[in-house]
Amino acid sequence: MEVLYLYLPVVLLAFYVITQHFLRKLRNLPPRPFPTLPLIGHLYLLKKPFHQALAKVSYRHGPVVFLWFGSHPVLLVASPSTAEECFTKNDIAFANRPTLISGKYFGYNYTSLAWSPYGDHWRNLRRISSLEVLSSHRLQMLSHIRLEEVRTLIGRLFQVSTETPERAVGMKLALFELTFNIMTRMIFGKIYYGENVENSEEAKRFQDLIMATSRSISESQVLDFLPFMRWFGFGGTEEKLRVIHENRD
């Protein structure tokens, strides 16, 4: 009996591997790295920097690779011609978005443009956005906002380089603030980043909400890909998302 218990995990693992192999053959799926681990799939292959890890997988297994990121199937496409085919000939098959937990709260139960599933509602939102936000007339009308914010950024970088030439400047943060200031000026008519914000208290609250949103999305992705982590202390993540969603509103 003790020997049976000793070999049981090995037998179960072998059965799992064989079953997965035959299922892949039946479904005619692209090649995938071996092994596909239970629960986590191919997440063990991901290391920083993320894009280089995916490039290594593609180099070893081909331009089209089927992966499991936990409970989510992922298609890795590293061929320009195949990517073009995905976005033209087979664009409908790839038009949907994964139903991540963050979309339930920040996307108003998957009804906003960024989170809505492909269909009539999404096409209507895209039409409104194209006409009211991204049309040539609208972009030209708001071009002065982009011009002013870019000039402000260049002036700030020039000032830093003049006063402290040895100081390194984090361009990632600078471009993040530039992007948000352009968006908020287009939407609200005011900026929330930089030294000369009109209402520093309101700006601070906005910045805190943006940071809290970013952190909560990162935390919720653990549950998106590894649902069993609810049993290991991640059960309160959805409550955090709900509170942040209310504060955003």
Side-chain angles (χ1 to χ4, degrees):
M1 184 63 71
E2 292 181 359
V3 175
L4 179 61
Y5 283 126
L6 180 64
Y7 285 101
L8 184 59
V10 179
V11 173
L12 290 176
L13 180 60
F15 178 75
Y16 173 81
V17 171
I18 294 172
T19 303
Q20 290 295 314
H21 174 75
F22 280 105
L23 284 176
R24 184 176 68 83
K25 291 293 185 181
L26 289 173
R27 294 173 182 172
N28 194 28
L29 296 174
R32 61 181 175 186
F34 179 84
T36 305
L37 298 181
L39 300 179
I40 68 170
H42 297 103
L43 287 175
Y44 66 91
L45 295 173
L46 302 185
K47 300 177 178 61
K48 292 183 178 181
F50 185 65
H51 65 284
Q52 290 185 8
L54 292 179
K56 289 180 180 178
V57 172
S58 177
Y59 179 78
R60 291 174 184 170
H61 301 279
V64 181
V65 185
F66 183 78
L67 302 169
W68 280 101
F69 285 2
S71 60
H72 281 259
V74 175
L75 188 67
L76 172 61
V77 177
S79 163
S81 59
T82 307
E84 182 181 4
E85 186 175 344
C86 290
F87 289 115
T88 54
K89 181 179 178 181
N90 298 293
D91 58 331
I92 300 298
F94 295 97
N96 255 332
R97 298 152 183 74
T99 53
L100 305 181
I101 297 175
S102 51
K104 176 181 177 182
Y105 295 92
F106 302 147
Y108 295 89
N109 200 26
Y110 310 106
T111 58
S112 68
L113 180 63
W115 296 102
S116 177
Y118 180 77
D120 292 339
H121 176 67
W122 181 83
R123 284 193 292 268
N124 187 46
L125 292 177
R126 185 185 64 173
R127 182 185 60 81
I128 294 172
S129 300
S130 299
L131 291 175
E132 302 297 336
V133 181
L134 301 175
S135 66
S136 299
H137 172 71
R138 184 71 67 177
L139 291 175
Q140 181 62 34
M141 188 174 68
L142 299 173
S143 61
H144 69 282
I145 292 177
R146 299 191 297 277
L147 182 62
E148 290 172 8
E149 290 304 320
V150 169
R151 282 177 174 171
T152 299
L153 173 61
I154 293 174
R156 191 161 67 245
L157 295 176
F158 178 77
Q159 182 180 2
V160 171
S161 66
T162 304
E163 296 176 354
T164 54
E166 72 284 352
R167 175 185 166 190
V169 178
M171 290 304 299
K172 182 178 181 180
L173 178 61
L175 294 174
F176 171 83
E177 293 181 354
L178 168 69
T179 304
F180 258 94
N181 279 343
I182 290 175
M183 288 194 299
T184 55
R185 278 192 66 182
M186 289 174 65
I187 299 170
F188 310 130
K190 61 179 72 173
I191 62 173
Y192 288 106
Y193 289 95
E195 299 175 355
N196 301 317
V197 293
E198 297 177 6
N199 188 331
S200 57
E201 184 177 344
E202 181 182 337
K204 179 65 168 57
R205 186 182 179 202
F206 180 87
Q207 293 170 21
D208 290 343
L209 277 173
I210 293 298
M211 290 302 297
T213 300
S214 178
R215 285 195 302 267
S216 65
I217 289 177
S218 298
E219 292 175 4
S220 67
Q221 285 176 346
V222 176
L223 290 181
D224 287 322
F225 296 103
L226 304 172
F228 65 89
M229 291 300 291
R230 295 175 187 272
W231 307 331
F232 298 95
F234 282 82
T237 301
E238 285 201 57
E239 178 61 22
K240 290 181 183 178
L241 292 174
R242 187 189 63 77
V243 172
I244 295 171
H245 168 64
E246 291 178 355
N247 290 335
R248 282 161 56 100
D249 276 350

